């Protein structure tokens, strides 16, 4: 699996570079944000991202893992019993910090700044997170991260991983669900 994880790392590196470029362009940072996007119910669709996240969690000790599992169970419970857009903190966020930061999934890296994405034969646009939009209200959103290439590369990588693992099912999980898979089903 190492060669696939390495390729994902490269995709992430390119995303981080684009994100940093957008941040510089807009003089935008997440510092002091009260509208933490770690409470968003993001879904992740790739096995390779779960495997990469699992790698990043290997350095944690038993107590940290126990706490993460407990928080993940709580989050799954809240998600199940609430509306789709319920906001509850990601189990990996501890004291405002992402525990496996270098291994966080793609959406956590790319969320927040304006983007464009070509899919389903049309171009989609996003204007950034709420804080970005309110802070940069008077700015033309003329710099957008183009997510298309990143999504295509990730999709291709995922296809190869599934083939290697002989996996044909669906993979759609929140971070909390991925954590329970990582710690409780392996
Ligand atoms: S994985 Fe990290 S960055 Fe992503 S939502 Fe969880 S704590 Fe936040
Ligand atoms: S991306 Fe937006 S919502 Fe998320 S932490 Fe940064 S400023 Fe806050």
């Amino acid at each position: 699996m190492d060669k696939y994880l390495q390729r994902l790392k490269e995709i992430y590196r390119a995303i981080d570079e684009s994100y940093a470029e957008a941040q510089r362009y807009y003089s935008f940072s997440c510092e002091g944000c009260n509208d933490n996007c770690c409470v968003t119910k993001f879904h992740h669709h790739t096995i390779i991202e779960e495997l990469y996240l699992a790698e990043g969690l290997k350095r944690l000790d038993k107590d940290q893992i126990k706490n993460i599992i407990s928080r993940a169970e709580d989050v799954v419970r809240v998600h199940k019993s609430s509306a789709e857009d319920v906001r509850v903190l990601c189990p990996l966020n501890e004291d405002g910090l992402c525990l496996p930061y270098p291994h966080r999934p793609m959406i956590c890296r790319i969320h927040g700044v304006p983007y464009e994405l070509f899919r389903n034969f049309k171009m989609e646009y996003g204007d950034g997170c709420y804080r970005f939009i309110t802070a940069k209200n008077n700015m033309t959103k003329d710099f957008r991260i183009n997510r298309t290439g990143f999504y295509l590369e990730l999709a291709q990588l995922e296809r190869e991983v599934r083939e290697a693992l002989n996996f044909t099912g669906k993979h759609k999980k929140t971070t909390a669900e991925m954590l329970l898979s990582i710690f409780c089903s392996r």
Side-chain angles (χ1 to χ4, degrees), residues 115-167:
Y115 72 89
E116 58 191 18
L117 169 65
F118 187 76
R119 70 174 161 190
N120 300 329
F121 306 105
K122 62 177 186 341
M123 197 63 103
E124 293 173 17
Y125 298 96
D127 283 337
C129 64
Y130 178 74
R131 183 165 180 260
F132 178 92
I133 292 168
T134 44
K136 306 290 168 190
N137 235 349
N138 297 324
M139 275 182 97
T140 315
K141 312 293 184 297
D142 53 358
F143 182 100
R144 292 177 184 276
I145 291 186
N146 189 337
R147 291 185 179 183
T148 315
F150 302 134
Y151 280 36
L152 287 174
E153 277 181 57
L154 183 58
Q156 175 59 32
L157 175 58
E158 179 69 4
R159 266 193 293 278
E160 292 175 38
V161 168
R162 286 178 185 221
E163 210 174 297
L165 295 174
N166 206 14
F167 178 88

Side-chain angles (χ1 to χ4, degrees), residues 23 27-37 111-112 127-137:
Q23 282 188 306
S27 304
F28 175 71
S29 102
C30 297
E31 218 176 299
C33 173
N34 295 320
D35 188 30
N36 193 337
C37 51
H111 178 77
D127 283 337
C129 64
Y130 178 74
R131 183 165 180 260
F132 178 92
I133 292 168
T134 44
K136 306 290 168 190
N137 235 349

Side-chain angles (χ1 to χ4, degrees), residues 66-77:
K66 209 172 127 196
N67 290 336
I68 289 171
I69 292 173
S70 163
R71 292 198 295 263
E73 286 171 342
D74 286 346
V75 170
V76 168
R77 209 172 298 121

Side-chain angles (χ1 to χ4, degrees), residues 37-38 42 53 90 92-93 97-100 104-105 108 175:
C37 51
C38 296
F42 290 127
L53 180 63
C90 173
L92 292 173
N93 186 309
L97 297 176
C98 173
L99 282 173
R104 69 200 186 287
C108 304
T175 308

